Amino acid sequence: MAKKTNKGVYVVALALFLGGLSYLIVSGLTQDSVYFLNVSEALAMESGEVRQARLFGKVSPDGLVLDADNLGASFDLIDKIDPTKTLRVEYRGALPDTFKEDVEVIVEGGLDPDSTVFKARTLVTKCPSKYEEESREMGQRKG
């Protein structure tokens, strides 16, 4: 009896596998990619290009407006490299307890194409170094 080869099945399976892998790579790179930018980098880009980005900076004490019940804030985000560059940020949602003037934050969202306001969907404060110092002191007291 002659032995049958199933080369056609293997070729189809390989083509489906490569097609699926290509789709996952392309969709992962285009849909969910988020730029991590400084304020000066975001200001240098055109507003249409900053549709989805994470910005890092410091909350300016000037122009900080908290909504009632800490359910949002509007503030100027100061660039860490060039403190003369600022970007207005509007955030709607629960604010972290550590959110205040001069604290470092990371906001994620997009630049409103009609204005120069960054509409943030998420806001995270950077943990102040004073907590790290306090935990070191507590560790030294115990040991």
Side-chain angles (χ1 to χ4, degrees):
M1 219 185 311
K3 188 175 180 182
K4 285 184 163 182
T5 58
N6 292 326
K7 287 184 181 179
V9 172
Y10 292 121
V11 169
V12 170
L14 181 63
L16 288 173
F17 174 75
L18 291 176
L21 183 63
S22 299
Y23 171 76
L24 288 175
I25 290 171
V26 169
S27 66
L29 292 176
T30 56
Q31 291 177 353
D32 296 328
S33 58
V34 176
Y35 295 109
F36 194 87
L37 306 169
N38 291 325
V39 173
S40 56
E41 293 171 332
L43 290 172
M45 297 174 77
E46 300 215 12
S47 61
E49 295 178 11
V50 190
R51 290 180 305 202
Q52 190 169 346
R54 281 189 189 122
L55 299 182
F56 176 72
K58 199 176 206 182
V59 176
S60 172
D62 302 326
L64 175 60
V65 179
L66 297 174
D67 289 350
D69 301 325
N70 280 347
L71 292 177
S74 297
F75 57 94
D76 292 327
L77 190 64
I78 302 171
D79 188 58
K80 291 281 291 177
I81 298 168
D82 184 3
T84 62
K85 305 254 180 167
T86 62
L87 181 65
R88 190 73 182 165
V89 175
E90 289 182 358
Y91 172 71
R92 300 291 163 250
L95 292 170
D97 292 338
T98 55
F99 180 80
K100 60 182 177 180
E101 300 173 351
D102 292 323
V103 73
E104 294 177 345
V105 296
I106 298 172
V107 291
E108 184 175 338
L111 196 59
D112 185 8
D114 298 331
S115 65
T116 57
V117 175
F118 188 83
K119 303 283 188 172
R121 290 184 303 277
T122 62
L123 183 144
V124 179
T125 58
K126 184 177 174 191
C127 185
S129 59
K130 73 175 187 177
Y131 295 124
E132 294 171 11
E133 292 171 12
E134 287 177 7
S135 77
R136 270 191 240 124
E137 289 173 7
M138 288 175 66
Q140 290 173 352
R141 288 183 203 148
K142 288 181 181 179

